[in-house]
Structure formats: structure tokens, C-alpha cells
Amino acid sequence: MMQACRTLALLVFPLLSGFELCSASKILVISMVASPSHSIWCNKLAELLVNRGHTVTILDTHPSRKKLANLTTYIFEGAYTYREQLDYMDSMWNSPKYAIDFLFEANLLSCRYMLQSPAFKRFLSEHSNDKKPFDLIIHDITNCESFLGLVHFLGNPKLVLVTPFGECQALYVKGSQGHMVHSPFQLTHFSHPMSFDEKLKNLFYTLYNYYVYHKYVNTLDGYSKEIFGQSIPHVLEIGKSAAVALVNAHPILDGAKYYSPAIVHIPGFHIDEPKKLDEETQSFLDDAKHGAIYFSLGTNIKSSLMSKDRIMIFLNTFEKLKQRVLWKFENENIKNIPENVKISKWFSQNDVLAHLNIKLFITHNGLLSTQEAIHHGIPMISMPFFLDQHGLSKKLTKQGIAVALSYATLSEHSVQQAIEEVLTNISYTKEIKRLSKIFKDQPMKPKELALYWIEHVLKNEDHKYLQPPETFLSTFELIFFDLKTILGTILGLVIAFLACSCSNKKQIKLKQN
């Protein structure tokens, strides 16, 4: 019933607000990031568009939990090939350079396999005879830019970029790179204001990522041309032609920066209105007289992959607590579970965090989980593992809304101490409630804003007015290299002329003497 009301509200809202309704369109969503969290985010967008009356096709790496009319899904094989030798527990994830190298190497491998997958070949054959089968393409720009070649292949429909992964490549593509010294790079542990040493390191990592990204995207352009032909534009140029980029970012987590008008923030887009939990979980939390703790390491990292001694550390610690604990644990055959602990392979996390008895969230600090915790005002114990999780953990600790744990040095004492610190020190809850109010206080709900911009693109032909000149400048032009070269040359000639004049005058005086 509630779902039907929300759907009706999304349809009626534009009429009440004076917005022009957009006619039903055919939309292709490209979700090629080999991560369940990206798939969940993009499927929420697809569902929103279907409920709006559009016909949606999604190219995905993960099966959707929902089957909807007017939603066609192609599941691509080979996306998770990179995981075969991946160790989330490796301490090397603390290195931003290691994270940059892994991210691009894994994406190349994953992208290569998906371009050769039977699902993609089937999609191409089913749409090769249509001149323009889609009115709009929505592409998750986090990686796999090879698939931007589909814009050309499918008759150049309009293009919108999206990313659940903070700012990432959307900034490079849309001309809002940020200041290389003063804007903390996403995969570092730095936050503003940075020390001089941090600024130097930040500059190195930003330049290194910029170099590796362009090398990587050139390789992906080669992959794209193998499939779609040598005559198609460079995939980066296709990306730059996008009308807007919808970015899952907020200054609380990403810092305040200058952005192109074509970059639209929709922080917490994936967060739905809370629903009642299943009967067993609802009862477990309702009866938690002393409050409850929720423990989850997200969709990529599994609690069951932790070593046995680490698992026992948590079980032994939880057994001593008066609070109840919900633990997302993927192996339900685990033994010696304390009476105050309930485990399950899956919980409806957003609905759990919305429960009034949840007092603490033990998390890996993935971006989507972190946004949900802030949205619901739940303080955290952070145990990061890879990519941006370490940086987020540092920021949250600095902001006073989380206590950090290190998986490498985990002990019963450190876990117990962290739990007691957050539960007994009211400052953590007070501060995250303050940030929650800011996070939720937006002029327009993220879902409504996303719908507005997608349909704005569908209804209007010209979007160049949103594009700053930086979008189409070369790297040298972007850092004023061309202007600096001209001015430097002129200044050099002036100095040389003055130096020659002075030298000539001295020689004349010497001759006269």
C-alpha cells in the first residue's frame, strides 16, 4: 500500500508543482560496475523510471531482486572475474597508489570480459536493425567507458551520466576536476584543511590518478573501437557530450568544491522511506530494552570471510553486552551464537537503521552504507577494508561521529572499548543527528531531482548551456599551459631585449672611454 502511494506521489508531484509531464520514453541504463551496491543503486533508478511510465532496459552485472513490467534486464557474464585473486583483508589497501592501480586494472579485466559476454552479443544482435531504439542512455561513469560506444551504435540518443561512487570520473569528464592541491583526492585519507605534507602527497596522487585514468580510458577506447568500428569518436569525447551527470555526493562527505552546472548532486538517492521489517526481525528489535547494534560489512565484503579468530572476537564481545545485535553474516551454519545475537545472510539495512532502538552501526564504511547511517543519525564503529573506505573512516572519525577499528589489530578489548565509547559518549549521537538534519534538508528530494533532470534532458534538445569551457579543453589548456607558454615567451623576449639593450649601452660607453 505504501509503495503504491509513493508511486502515485511521484506521478502526481509534477502536476501539482506546475512541471510539464514528459511523454513515455525508451531508456537504456548501462550499469557495468562489478559491484552489487552499484547494481542496487542503478536498479533503483530503473525502477523509478518504470514507475514514471518509461520503458527501461538495463545492462547489469547482478540479477535484480525485483521483476517489473516494462523493465528488461541483460545480466553480463564475467564481470566479477577480478575477484578470483582479490584479498579484501590485505593491508596494502591503505596505499592510495595501490588502490588506484587495482581499480583501473580490475576495471580493464572486467570490461574486457563483459564486452565479449554472450549477453552483450545478444543485446547487440537484438538492436542492430533499429535506427534509434532508445531515446536516452544513462551510463554509470564509474568505469567501463567502452560501453559509451553504444551511444554511436544506437543512433546517438541523448546521454546522461550517473555515479553512485561519490564524484569519481564524473568530475574528469564534465570539467570539474577540483584543485589538485586543495581538494582531497577521493582515495586518500586526507580531509580539508590539509597540512603542507598532505598537500604534496595529495598533488602526487591526483596527478598519478589523472595520468593512469587517461591511459586506462585510451585502452577502453581501443576496446570500444574493436566492437563498434574505428570511425566512432573517442569514448571520452562521447562522455563529454552528456547533458548532465547525476552524482551521489554531499559536501559533508566529499567536501565543498566548485562544480560545473552539468554536475547535479543527488546524495542518498538510494535511500527509501523506511518500511516495517519482517516479523521476526521487527520483534527482535522492538524487544531490545537496552537498544540494539547493527553489524554489516556490505555487499562486497562478507563477514564470513573474516578469519575464525576475528569472528570469535566479535562473538565473545557481543555475548557480554546487554544490547541486542543484528549481524549480517553470510554463513548461517556458524556455531556458538549468543542469545542476544541474531544473524542472517541479508537484512533490509535501510529499514534496520531506521528502527528507533538501533543505537550503533558497525560498518566497513562503504559510501552507500555511510550515507544511510548519516541519514538516520546512527553513530558508527568503522572497520574499513579497501578503496574509499579508509578515507571515509578518517573523515568520520575526525568529524566525531565514528570510532575506527583496524581489522589487522583487532582484539576483544579494542572492540569492547569502541562499543562502550560510542554508546556512553553522547557526543557521537548528538553530532551525527546534527549532520543528519543537514543531509536531509534539501530543496528537493534526491529521487525527484534525478527525475527532473532526466526528463529535462528528454524534453529539451540543447544542453550546451550547462557545459563550462573546461569540459572540452585539453589537459595542457586546462592548466593554462597554452596561456602560460605565450605569456612566458613574451616575457622572455622582453627580458632578452632589455638585457641586450643594457649590454649594448655598456659596450658603447666602453668604446667611448
Side-chain angles (χ1 to χ4, degrees), residues 198 425 472:
E198 288 175 336
N425 188 341
F472 304 100

Side-chain angles (χ1 to χ4, degrees), residues 417-430:
Q417 194 175 44
I419 292 172
E420 288 180 359
E421 170 66 15
V422 177
L423 291 180
T424 60
N425 188 341
I426 197 171
S427 67
Y428 292 94
T429 300
K430 188 176 179 180

Side-chain angles (χ1 to χ4, degrees), residues 417-459:
Q417 194 175 44
I419 292 172
E420 288 180 359
E421 170 66 15
V422 177
L423 291 180
T424 60
N425 188 341
I426 197 171
S427 67
Y428 292 94
T429 300
K430 188 176 179 180
E431 180 60 16
I432 200 166
K433 294 290 185 187
R434 184 185 72 83
L435 293 178
S436 174
K437 185 179 178 182
I438 295 170
F439 188 82
K440 291 188 289 187
D441 190 8
Q442 301 178 44
M444 199 171 182
K445 290 184 178 180
K447 286 183 174 63
E448 293 167 358
L449 188 60
L451 270 178
Y452 166 78
W453 276 106
I454 289 170
E455 295 190 339
H456 174 82
V457 172
L458 284 165
K459 289 183 292 186

Side-chain angles (χ1 to χ4, degrees), residues 476-477 479-495:
F476 290 124
E477 290 173 322
I479 58 175
F480 308 111
F481 184 82
D482 56 339
L483 188 59
K484 287 176 183 176
T485 303
I486 294 169
L487 292 175
T489 304
I490 293 171
L491 183 62
L493 290 171
V494 170
I495 292 171

